[in-house]
Amino acid sequence: MKILRLDLIAFGPFSGITLDLSKGNEGLLLIYGPNEAGKSSALRAIGYLLYGIPERCEDGFLHPYQKLRIGGVLRTGGGRVIEAIRRKARSNALRAPDDSPLDEALWHEVCGRVSCQDFSRRFGIDHEALVEGGREIVNGGGELADVLFAAGAGVAAFRRIEDQVLAEANDLFKPGGSRPEINALLSGLREEQGKLRELQLPNETWDIHFKAHQTALSERMAVQVEIERTEQERNRLKRIQNALPLIGRRKGILQEIADYLPTAILPGDFSEKRQKAVHDLRLQEQYADQAKLSLTKLRSELSELKISPAVLNFSQEISDLYLKLGGHRKAVADRPKLIAQKKALEDQAKELLAELRRDYPFERVEDLRLQADEEVIIRNLGAKREKYVANLENALEKTSELTLAIAEITEKLSDIAVRRDTSGIQIALDDAKSYGRIEDELSQIEIKIVNAEKQANFDLAGLELWKGGLDQLEQLQAPDPETVDDFESRFRETENEIGIHTRELEKLSREIRDIESKVSAIKAGDVPSLEDLEDSRSLRKSGWKLIRGVIDGVKGSEDDERDYIAKVSEASTLPDAFEKNMHVADELSDRLRREADRVSEYNTLIAGRKALELQRNEVLAGKEQIDKSFGGIKLDWTNLWLQCGISPGPPKQMRRWVLKRSELVRKWAEIRTLRSEAEYRARKIEELKEALEKCLNEICHLTEAGESLQKLVAKTAQVIESETRILADRDRLENDLQQKKHELRKMESQGEKAKSELETWQAQWETAISPLELDGQSIPEQANAILSKLQEIFAKLKEAKGFGHRVDEIDADFETFKKQAEDLVSRTVPELQGMSVEKAVSSMNDLMNTAKADKIRREGLLKKIGEEERSLKGAYGRIDRLRIEIGVMLEEAACDGIEAFPEAERRSARKKELIEKLEQIEEQLVELASGSSIEEFSAEVEAEDTDLILPRLKHLEEEIAGLDAKKSELDQTIGREEGELRRMDGRGDAAEVAQQIQGRLADIENKVRQYSRLKLAHALLLRAKERHREMSQGPVIKRTSELFRALTLGSFEGVRAETDDSGTSVIVGFRRGGEETVSVQGMSDGTADQLYLALRLASFEYYISQNEPQPLILDDILIRFDNERAKATLKVLAEISEKTQVIMFTHHRHLVELAQSVIGEDNLLTQDLSAAAGQIS
Amino acid sequence: MFSFIHTADIHLDSPMLRLDEYEGAPAGRIRQATRRALDNLVQLAISEKVNFVLISGDLYDGDWKDYQTGLFFISRMARLAEAGIPVYIIAGNHDAASRTTKSLSLPDGVKLIGWRSPATFMLENIGVAIHGQSFPTQAVNIDLSEKYPPAVAGFFNIGMLHTCATGSSEHAPYAPCSVEGLKLKGYDYWALGHIHKHQVLCEDPLVIFPGNLQGRSIKETGPKGCVLVRVEKDRPVYEFHAMDVIRWALCEVDVTGEETEHGFFEKVMNSLSAIAANTDIPMLVRINVVGTCPIHDRIASDREKLVGEIRAGTISLYPDRIWIEKVRLNTAPLPQQAPERSGGPIELLMNLIEEIGTDPNELTGLGSCLNELWEKLPLEIRNSEAAVSPNDAETIGRLLAEVRPMLIQRLGISK
């Protein structure tokens, strides 16, 4: 493929720039542009033209993205020329010059079916790639396979990528390592598995501990029994040891007790009781003597007392009379005072009466006393008068107020206008309101209609393939979507078929090409073929025919001879030619024999190719058949649409068309509906307005012409509102008037009632006050004053009468007292008769008091005598009892007399002491005997050899200590085993570790997979690069060697493959006829760059020798080259441009001059981008 | 009226298989899951006051050698015994292989039915006859139920049997039997064990596999538990009760046509949210991403990063609720358009991959680069389904399909 023209229509800094690249055979184009001249943009433009402008693009700074355009003309290897314009778009980005969309697949075909990535990677070299490539060669030691792969694929970093894959794999696993992840995980796994084994509790372990525990328990029980037995024996011996002294002491006590056998044991308190009894007896005898003396003295005092019985018998009456004597004396003293008080009160009453009626006789005062109810009646009537007067006055005042108010209201009512009927106008208003905002609706619908029409017309204009109006479109009998779908699937199926055939064809072609590449590989090694031999032989045959002709004298035509000589190279005469021809044929025959294997492979390949070609022809025939039926479908499709006068596009497009059309028809129907709605509303508005205007005019509210319905409705509402307000005022005033009239009538009747009440009262009043001798006009206050005065007079008179009664009572009491006193004196002390009453009563009282005192004294003496007699009798009784008690004691202590008591008491005490001691000892012995009787125990003790007890005890203690130690040991064992068994509690530690192991296994599996991918990737890379080396090494190294010599100006004679110390094939440079070799590490940076460039160019040439040539795009690769090397490189590029187009970008002008100096004018084309940029500015 | 619980395949202390562990995974949720499930069962038996409990085999994993597991089991059986609930156990294939089963002494009230011949237990008070026989050895290939005694007249007859029934590819074909054969015995209920999936083989009489008590691998998805049977007037009514404490789920995510990483991630998370919304207990989820999509190459070239992102997303959205067991990225690339003619080494590399991929000998030849690792791997890994055996052409072939996009991406030659 060759780019004939590049049109930078609108891209980067360029506008309408055309670069003509058609010159030369294929042509070397040098595009010069200083910095900022758009060199990079132009470089990118080539890639974008071929493969599309990417989503993110940095060249839209002058032209907006949607306006970016790159055009170009390409020529295919087959000589086909095609022109296209590339836009930045997601679809249909590629256009023909007439702006019709171009098929990308077709374009891709033109571009040699190379991907965008491949294109830039393999057919483009820039300075950075060159430097990186050179560096990688040096770093990799020039390993041949790496170097060839990197240069062939255009992946400069190939070696590094390969190393990276391996390094990642090694980070995961190394056979002898421990740090890589999988190694570490595996050792972790082993650790966890070990831990699991530790944690798992084997059944046997449980058994062992369980049994050990049981055994220890039973052993401890046996030891315990032995300890108890031994301790028992030790305790017995200890008891005997302790009992020995006690038994000796017991014997001594028993002997002494025998001496005291007859002695009675006296109670502990005997001595004390005995001493008390003797002392008491003596005391009682003294008491008896004293009592006898007292009795004699008391009896003589009694006989001397004398008492009068008469005075004592009337003692109560005498006391009473003596008490009355005091009262009598006081009454006599009060009497004159009472008489004086009575007189004073009567005088005050007389004065009061005189104040009321000066001339009224006091004796008739009682005539003035009123009946109780008479006074009440006067007072009540007096109180009522004021109320009756007030009622009357109030009624008169209210009556006059109401009369005035009624007059005012009547006047107001006469001012208010007559009422008007508004019901008709209300009906019209309600009707208008029921249509809501009908005018707004109308205008909205009208807007909708306008918009819908606009949209429909716009859509109609956008409906491709149709020029008529909407009405016609609606009438159109277009195919339905199902039919379109049906066609689409038919199209698709057929296209698929075509696709399958095309791919099959491509596959076959590829296989044929593969064979061809293999054939050419064999051929590259210059393998002779049978055809070569046959060709050579048939040539020889034709030569021989000519020679034979000469020999036979039948010479052929001169043309044939010349032809023959020309066919055999480097020959001038027929014999020469024949001889050479014969040599060549012999040589070929020999070589065919020598290289039979390669020849046979070659022949097999050729046979294979033939078979494939046959197959390809069959597929081609099939494809033609399908193409034909595809044509048929297309025709049916076109006919279907011609019925409606449309020339159809593809079904997909037409399905959209059908959908668009039905959408348009739908919209058209909507517009019609809207229009009829609008008409209906306009009509209705007019009707409503008319009705309202008529009503308003009827009630004198004249309307203006052309008012809107909305305004009329508002106006009507106002009129109705004002009419309603007037009506309400009138109703309110009429109500008021009725109310006031009613109140006036009520007040007038109240006035009448109050007047009659006052008259009734006046009559009652006159009657009531007549006893007070007042006239009828007297007011109640006057009557009340007279009544109060009368009350005061009668109160004084009542009090004076009380004092008179008291004086009469005093006189009667004195007579009664005197009679009683005389009677009593005659009955008790007649000798007092003749004395004054008061004196006789006093004396009689003194006598009675003396008699009473004597009587009390006699009773006291009698009581004392009784007490003394009882005391004497008691003393005698006690003396008797004490004598008996002492007698019993003498008998108990076996004594003859009181004086023998002390000795008897001493012996008794001693005997008692001995018995107590014995009991103590026996008590201890009973304890020590531990169940045996004292006698048995004593016998046991006596039977024991006392000298052996101590050593035996010591032995037993030792035995016990030994047993204790054994027991404690067993306790420890039991504790330990119980601890072990407690750990066996069903815990899940082992299960948890097992779970962790599962997690680790999962981890390992994941990492193993990751490792495997990396490792396989690495193995594939190794294989691929080896295979590539095998295939390309011969031709590529040969050509690289030539190029390298040229590029280094002969500093190196070339490169070749050598095997290094480790057995790896590496590339080295050589000099001096191959005597001196230079490893890549020994080359300078510049030389390494040149080596990489040589490899790239050789690989490129190798590629285009086997595939359709592609342009080679170079971006400033000569920066680090000196002028001479640059010239050499330009020469090499010119050489390559004989075979394919070479485009080189640079921003060094001198390179242009250098190029012009070494390359012929007809093969060099230069473009100055700064000039193009100048056009822009 | 009486009731009982039928369970089987407790596999006490067997771990959750091959769970990917990662920072932030809710590890506490799976701790001793089988034990906690057994606790749930004991709790159910006590709260429902059932009359007895049946365990139809496989208490432990046969190759599990921790006596603690047995002791734990005993402690839980003791609780049932305390509550007066007798337990009847038959040994299954795993138990026959387990030494723990043989050496444990069971509490009173817990009966391990013998293996010499079928035995019958009569529960006179409620009129129930329980028939059963333990596995004498791990591999029993005969129909044990054939020798079970005929039904006891007037009793509710229950047969306990550890069996593969009519066969299942996932379980060893031990003690095969047929539903027809079981029906002939005239029993009222067959309490089966061995198959880990809950299923009712027959409604009359009831022939039931309760399934295992707690799922332990991605093969055991869905709720796991026991069957509670209530018998009234000789008519048994059963209901399934989930006992598991964490549940396995397979989350299939179809990313067909997906173009962006964002869209891919969103689809995965949406599928997870559906799972999270439909569960009341924590889940162990395997994500299997399938579909033909443009971003296949992108997915295939950086698997580890995507898996990490899915995990991180899950942790932040469902902490303590969802554990991502594994992520399987099984997407497929879009079918190749017209082949690119790159020529040269890259085409050679791609052709080489294609060539090797179709030739088993070449595949194993290529796989030999994994030999050194293979030799170091323990048997658990080598015998696993996920093993990458260098000698297995199919496995290497699958890996190769994953390697191709990786190489394209690394060489910077993506289209």
Side-chain angles (χ1 to χ4, degrees), chain A residues 732-747:
Chain A
R732 189 174 46 75
L733 283 171
E734 277 175 353
N735 273 343
D736 227 5
L737 186 63
Q738 289 303 319
Q739 178 73 20
K740 293 278 187 260
K741 280 182 176 169
H742 174 75
E743 278 176 27
L744 181 65
R745 277 194 301 278
K746 205 170 142 194
M747 269 309 134

Side-chain angles (χ1 to χ4, degrees), chain B residues 211-361:
Chain B
N212 57 344
L213 211 51
Q214 166 65 54
R216 302 154 307 142
S217 78
I218 193 61
K219 289 181 184 167
E220 299 176 350
T221 54
K224 294 286 172 186
C226 66
V227 171
L228 173 63
V229 185
R230 291 192 173 84
V231 183
E232 196 151 14
K233 292 177 187 159
D234 283 347
R235 292 177 61 85
V237 179
Y238 68 91
E239 58 190 32
F240 176 80
H241 285 255
M243 296 286 109
D244 47 359
V245 296
I246 188 160
R247 197 164 290 162
W248 292 77
L250 183 61
C251 176
E252 288 272 0
V253 185
D254 189 344
V255 295
T256 299
E258 196 53 64
E259 288 178 359
T260 65
E261 205 171 306
H262 174 76
F264 163 86
F265 199 65
E266 199 169 63
K267 278 188 176 162
V268 171
M269 283 300 146
N270 283 345
S271 305
L272 275 182
S273 84
I275 286 181
N278 288 320
T279 174
D280 48 357
I281 67 170
M283 300 296 283
L284 291 163
V285 179
R286 172 172 297 184
I287 295 175
N288 189 26
V289 187
V290 297
T292 303
C293 52
I295 59 153
H296 165 79
D297 283 358
R298 166 81 199 75
I299 293 172
S301 61
D302 208 354
R303 289 160 185 276
E304 282 72 24
K305 180 175 161 262
L306 278 177
V307 171
E309 277 170 9
I310 290 172
R311 284 172 179 163
T314 312
I315 291 167
S316 70
L317 282 177
Y318 312 106
D320 259 26
R321 297 282 296 156
I322 293 185
W323 179 320
I324 301 297
E325 182 243 6
K326 283 193 189 330
V327 180
R328 294 267 193 252
L329 299 170
N330 289 325
T331 50
L334 293 180
Q336 281 266 301
Q337 303 294 315
E340 302 284 357
R341 273 292 315 279
S342 62
I346 300 296
E347 192 176 64
L348 187 147
L349 173 64
M350 294 303 142
N351 289 344
L352 182 66
I353 293 174
E354 210 166 303
E355 201 177 290
I356 293 175
T358 49
D359 184 343
N361 289 332

Side-chain angles (χ1 to χ4, degrees), chain A residues 28-32 1130 1142 1144 1146 1151-1152 1155 1164-1167:
Chain A
L28 168 60
L29 171 67
L30 208 55
I31 299 179
Y32 162 72
L1130 285 164
V1142 178
M1144 181 158 156
T1146 180
L1151 281 177
V1152 178
L1164 177 68
L1165 178 67
T1166 57
Q1167 278 280 354

Side-chain angles (χ1 to χ4, degrees), chain A residues 113 117-118 122 168 193 201 203-204 513 986 992 995 998 1001 1005-1006 1013 1023 1027 1107, chain B residues 16 18 20 31-32 35 66-68 71 99 304 341-342 355 362 380 384 402 410 414:
Chain A
R113 275 201 271 134
Q117 294 270 343
D118 253 356
R122 305 190 50 215
E168 280 179 32
Q193 283 170 332
L201 171 65
N203 299 354
E204 301 76 20
R513 270 198 308 278
E992 281 186 26
Q995 183 63 58
Q998 287 297 327
L1001 287 172
E1005 282 174 356
N1006 289 339
R1013 280 196 292 267
R1023 275 207 194 190
R1027 187 180 278 194
N1107 297 280
Chain B
M16 306 284 119
R18 293 297 200 270
D20 275 0
R31 281 195 73 203
Q32 309 192 341
R35 289 185 174 210
D66 188 13
Y67 200 73
Q68 300 276 24
L71 291 170
R99 295 191 55 200
E304 282 72 24
R341 273 292 315 279
S342 62
E355 201 177 290
E362 285 282 357
E380 293 94 321
S384 140
E402 296 171 7
R410 284 180 182 246
S414 57

Side-chain angles (χ1 to χ4, degrees), chain A residues 361-374:
Chain A
F362 184 70
E363 294 74 26
R364 275 182 54 210
V365 74
E366 281 300 322
D367 296 348
L368 288 177
R369 195 183 286 269
L370 290 177
Q371 299 290 315
D373 60 336
E374 281 173 343

Side-chain angles (χ1 to χ4, degrees), chain A residues 838-862:
Chain A
E838 286 167 20
K839 205 167 178 185
V841 168
S842 223
S843 302
M844 198 157 55
N845 194 49
D846 292 348
L847 284 172
M848 182 199 73
N849 284 343
T850 310
K852 269 184 178 172
D854 285 350
K855 189 185 170 196
I856 289 164
R857 189 170 152 74
R858 190 187 66 180
E859 278 166 6
L861 286 171
L862 282 172

